[in-house]
Amino acid sequence: MTKRLVQGNEAVLLGAVRAGATYFAGYPISPSSEILMQASAYAAAHPELRFLQAEDEIASANAIIGASLAGAKSFTATSGPGFSLMQEAIGYAHKVGVPCVFVDVQRVGPGTGMPTMPGQGDILQTRYGSSGDYTSIVFYPSTVGECFEYTIHAFNAAEESRSPVILLSDAFLGHLNEVVDLDTIEVPVVPRTLERLASGSTRLFSGVLTYEDGEPATADADEFIRQFEAARLAREEAARRYAFYEYGWNKEADTLVICFGITRRISAPLAPYFALFRPIRIWPVLQDELREVAGRYRQIIVIEGSEGQYASVVERVLYRDVQRVPLLGGRMSLEAVREGLDRIGLLPAELAAQSASPVG
Amino acid sequence: MAVKDKLKEELFPTIWCPGCGIGLIMTQLATVMDEIGLDERNTVIVTGIGCTGRMGAYMRFDSVYTLHGRTLPVAEAIKTVRPELNVIVVSGDGDTASIGGNHLLHSIRRNPNITVLCNNNEIYGLTGGQAGPTTPKGTNTVSSPAGTVASPVNLQGLVNTNPQAYYAKTTVYHQGQMRRAIKEAIDWPGFSFVDITSQCIENNGRRIGFPSANEMLMYFKKEYRQAPSAARHLEHHQLGIVKGSPEAAVPVAPTAGGDGHSAE
């Protein structure tokens, strides 16, 4: 293949196919619908990819769980309220240990919110959205090529951790077209790890806490803790192999900017003035890497499309205050970044003097 | 092989209350499975939440104990990925027709080749006896002290919105008929639904005036009547089968000059 224009959402679909996905279920919702539509087109031409346009996001999420147990690498894609509807199933997949991939192309919430505007308000939902304690693995690319690359990593991590892995995107990134040659992106593919249904054993895949033999363990705290710890350790161990981040820009600056996904792209003109830390693995949080890098800087600014979801995580990890530049209401632009920096008194003079341009 | 090989008897006694109807369904299902050669290599059981959901744990098969209401999307996806498998859903009326109602509606129209056995005891038993989607109007329950105000879901009507689907009405008293219905439903090449009236003595029966589970079974014996074999619709308290036809015409996409109907 040669270089061509590829859309972020299309790159996710192609990444899933490259990773060996053979089942997709979804429900139309902006700004993720291109993944559904292109999955349907791909499936029509390649019957090995099974496709279901389900009645809602609840069905989609549960269908990919069933498909995975049956032996398929499976995924769904959604946004905002649809992702909220999937939270119960994500918790189930964590409890049961089902490898599968959830793609969340973020828009502005809460509620129906601003369906076609980019947001980053699902950072905490990807970690804490379902009931109870569990360990999430979440990636957030920031280029079309990375949408392809990290979708493959998401499938691999799902297999290695035997858990639902989330790939974050956003309306801007999902609809971004970039010239890229996907064939030059090589990520080894991890084969299936879960023995498929009806292979001769008689297992019980249960959302209810049970003992090995299937008897309920619903009043046994020790059994709960044993299973919880085993799951946590397995997922943390798998996640360690996916500790992706970017550290760059002007490392000699005295202030560190943290941003991710589309805010990384928007903030590019800040490069001469700040150092950059961009987490690609959003969860588990890159605690050691963040501590090591942040220790070199006097100040830290988090630029993100929420009121400060990731900033609060950084503060907790570093035990220090960070400055917030929230880009709200879908206003993802260099101008909004400039205004935000100006508000906290950290806008470099040179940048202030430049004329406004909509995209960096 | 024998019927008992289908069951994990080492886990008995079950968690079901004395007098519960679910065991009667499990026995007939196991009997049919033995008869037609279903085993852990060709069959998967999918159950929902509620007392009935425990059945998968007691059967010697791979079994998926899903979230509340989510049996059908899980079962359909399994059948899609592994068309060679028999996929049997066993769940209660609340799981199937209330919280899972939207999935039921759409599974019926997608017509997957799966079988649903619905333990229809007309109550939320596991949670203590609240009104359910099939509770007859006017029933006194712990969540309807003045009697339920809504009509029960019309499962037969719902299933038969798909002219290619299979619907059977039976009760746990009518064991022979139940067994035949389960067998036919598993054989049916499309969506099949066996609506099995059963009793929950502990959390419903006694409150509505039955002294024991036996009286409830005797009530089923007295009240339910076999429908004429050619019946296209079952009346209240009629037992029978309303089979669609796998070749039945369904509406198709409009085309200029077409009539919008075609055998598919």
Side-chain angles (χ1 to χ4, degrees):
Chain A
M1 205 157 94
T2 48
K3 284 187 172 187
R4 67 171 179 96
L5 266 180
V6 182
Q7 193 204 46
N9 280 341
E10 182 188 3
V12 168
L13 186 263
L14 295 174
V17 167
R18 177 72 67 83
T22 54
Y23 187 93
F24 174 90
Y27 182 81
I29 183 167
S30 299
S32 73
S33 300
E34 289 84 4
I35 301 175
L36 170 100
M37 293 187 286
Q38 295 191 8
S40 76
Y42 190 91
H46 306 83
E48 65 274 15
L49 177 68
R50 306 292 186 151
F51 171 87
L52 172 69
Q53 182 177 326
E55 57 272 28
D56 57 29
E57 288 89 347
I58 299 173
S60 310
N62 285 280
I64 70 165
I65 288 169
S68 175
L69 293 174
K73 285 189 179 179
S74 63
F75 69 120
T76 185
T78 187
S79 181
F83 188 57
S84 298
L85 283 174
M86 293 181 176
Q87 292 301 324
E88 186 195 27
I90 290 171
Y92 176 89
H94 273 289
K95 163 65 187 72
V96 175
V98 185
C100 49
V101 173
F102 289 77
V103 180
D104 174 20
V105 186
Q106 297 167 96
R107 65 194 216 187
V108 179
T112 306
M114 302 168 78
T116 62
M117 298 300 280
Q120 296 184 320
D122 294 348
I123 298 294
L124 293 181
Q125 193 180 193
T126 58
R127 175 68 187 86
Y128 299 109
S130 198
S131 168
D133 292 314
Y134 55 93
T135 306
S136 294
I137 301 177
V138 180
F139 302 115
Y140 193 173
S142 72
T143 69
V144 170
E146 283 188 1
C147 284
F148 178 81
E149 180 181 351
Y150 289 101
T151 298
I152 304 172
H153 285 303
F155 276 91
N156 288 347
E159 291 300 332
E160 294 198 325
S161 65
R162 293 208 185 177
S163 73
V165 169
I166 294 163
L167 183 90
L168 280 172
S169 176
D170 53 63
F172 215 150
L173 183 59
H175 288 162
L176 192 64
N177 281 282
E178 293 191 287
V179 175
V180 58
D181 182 353
L182 297 180
D183 285 345
T184 62
I185 300 171
E186 283 178 22
V187 181
V189 168
V190 174
R192 285 248 72 191
T193 53
L194 184 69
E195 188 184 56
R196 63 184 198 163
L197 287 170
S199 293
S201 29
T202 62
R203 299 160 293 178
L204 177 68
F205 296 93
S206 170
V208 179
L209 191 76
T210 59
Y211 298 104
E212 192 86 350
D213 65 3
E215 282 286 274
T218 47
D220 185 342
D222 291 338
E223 181 63 18
F224 173 86
I225 292 165
R226 193 189 66 72
Q227 292 190 24
F228 167 73
E229 285 297 334
R232 188 176 62 78
L233 287 174
R235 275 135 213 189
E236 284 177 357
E237 197 204 314
R240 267 197 286 280
R241 294 190 282 276
Y242 299 86
F244 304 119
Y245 64 97
E246 177 188 6
Y247 172 45
W249 285 355
N250 179 2
K251 292 182 181 176
E252 308 307 316
D254 67 354
T255 299
L256 177 72
V257 160
I258 296 175
C259 52
F260 39 79
I262 198 60
T263 49
R264 158 69 179 83
R265 305 296 297 279
I266 291 163
S267 304
L270 305 182
Y273 317 104
F274 301 99
L276 165 75
F277 183 84
R278 170 172 71 108
I280 298 169
R281 193 188 78 194
I282 301 293
W283 300 106
V285 65
L286 294 158
Q287 186 166 299
D288 297 343
E289 294 83 353
L290 256 174
R291 283 180 181 159
E292 200 204 319
V293 170
R296 302 170 199 156
Y297 298 93
R298 199 168 56 80
Q299 288 194 94
I300 297 165
I301 307 169
V302 178
I303 302 173
E304 61 181 322
S306 78
E307 199 190 8
Q309 294 191 14
Y310 197 76
S312 69
V313 174
V314 174
E315 282 181 336
R316 197 185 69 209
V317 167
L318 301 179
Y319 307 108
R320 60 189 270 199
D321 289 340
V322 307
Q323 302 291 327
R324 289 163 159 77
V325 174
L327 307 179
L328 301 179
R331 208 162 152 251
M332 296 263 186
S333 64
L334 180 59
E335 192 50 40
V337 171
R338 276 204 196 97
E339 281 175 26
L341 289 171
D342 196 29
R343 214 164 25 242
I344 55 176
L346 293 172
L347 181 66
E350 228 176 293
L351 209 54
Q354 284 175 16
S355 62
S357 86
V359 179
Chain B
M1 295 295 280
V3 174
K4 60 193 300 180
D5 296 330
K6 303 297 171 197
L7 303 172
K8 293 181 174 173
E9 285 188 311
E10 63 275 20
L11 298 181
F12 288 9
T14 69
I15 58 155
W16 299 316
C17 306
C20 177
I22 300 171
L24 297 169
I25 299 174
M26 184 164 75
T27 308
Q28 293 307 331
L29 174 60
T31 304
V32 170
M33 289 172 134
D34 180 51
E35 214 177 295
I36 64 178
L38 303 195
D39 61 33
E40 66 274 20
R41 289 189 175 275
N42 61 26
T43 302
V44 171
I45 296 173
V46 180
T47 69
I49 295 298
C51 299
T52 318
R54 288 298 305 165
M55 195 187 292
Y58 297 126
M59 304 200 73
R60 210 168 290 288
F61 291 84
D62 265 351
S63 166
V64 187
Y65 193 1
T66 71
L67 285 166
H68 195 19
R70 313 304 167 211
T71 54
L72 290 171
V74 171
E76 268 194 70
I78 294 169
K79 186 68 184 179
T80 300
V81 173
R82 303 278 299 285
E84 75 278 15
L85 297 181
N86 299 287
V87 181
I88 299 172
V89 173
V90 190
S91 198
D93 50 272
D95 192 75
T96 305
S98 186
I99 188 166
N102 195 35
H103 307 311
L104 180 62
L105 182 68
H106 291 276
S107 249
I108 289 167
R109 80 182 174 89
R110 283 189 292 258
N111 200 33
N113 187 4
I114 64 174
T115 297
V116 181
L117 307 184
C118 180
N119 171 52
N120 189 349
N121 59 12
E122 304 177 348
I123 201 76
Y124 281 106
L126 186 64
T127 48
Q130 298 83 3
T134 57
T135 305
K137 192 172 179 177
T139 307
N140 182 341
T141 75
V142 298
S143 63
S144 60
T148 49
V149 294
S151 305
V153 168
N154 177 357
L155 288 169
Q156 176 190 184
L158 204 53
V159 174
N160 288 334
T161 54
N162 174 0
Q164 300 176 340
Y166 174 103
Y167 172 87
K169 178 74 195 176
T170 181
T171 87
V172 289
Y173 174 80
H174 300 85
Q175 294 271 291
Q177 199 237 8
M178 191 213 300
R179 188 168 60 248
R180 283 191 298 277
I182 292 173
K183 187 166 179 285
E184 258 189 42
I186 293 172
D187 283 342
W188 187 255
F191 187 83
S192 57
F193 190 99
V194 185
D195 178 358
I196 308 165
T197 292
S198 78
Q199 79 282 8
C200 172
I201 183 65
E202 288 298 326
N203 281 325
N204 186 36
R206 265 194 282 279
R207 188 174 307 102
I208 57 176
F210 291 95
S212 75
N214 186 56
E215 270 80 7
M216 295 187 85
L217 287 168
M218 289 307 111
Y219 174 83
F220 300 153
K221 177 187 182 187
K222 182 167 76 67
E223 280 295 313
Y224 282 83
R225 286 285 166 265
Q226 209 65 43
S229 59
R232 299 302 305 144
H233 173 82
L234 305 177
E235 300 300 328
H236 184 56
H237 286 187
Q238 269 188 344
L239 304 170
I241 290 164
V242 180
K243 278 187 248 192
S245 161
E247 287 83 38
V250 293
V252 296
T255 50
D259 63 2
H261 284 79
S262 142
E264 209 179 62

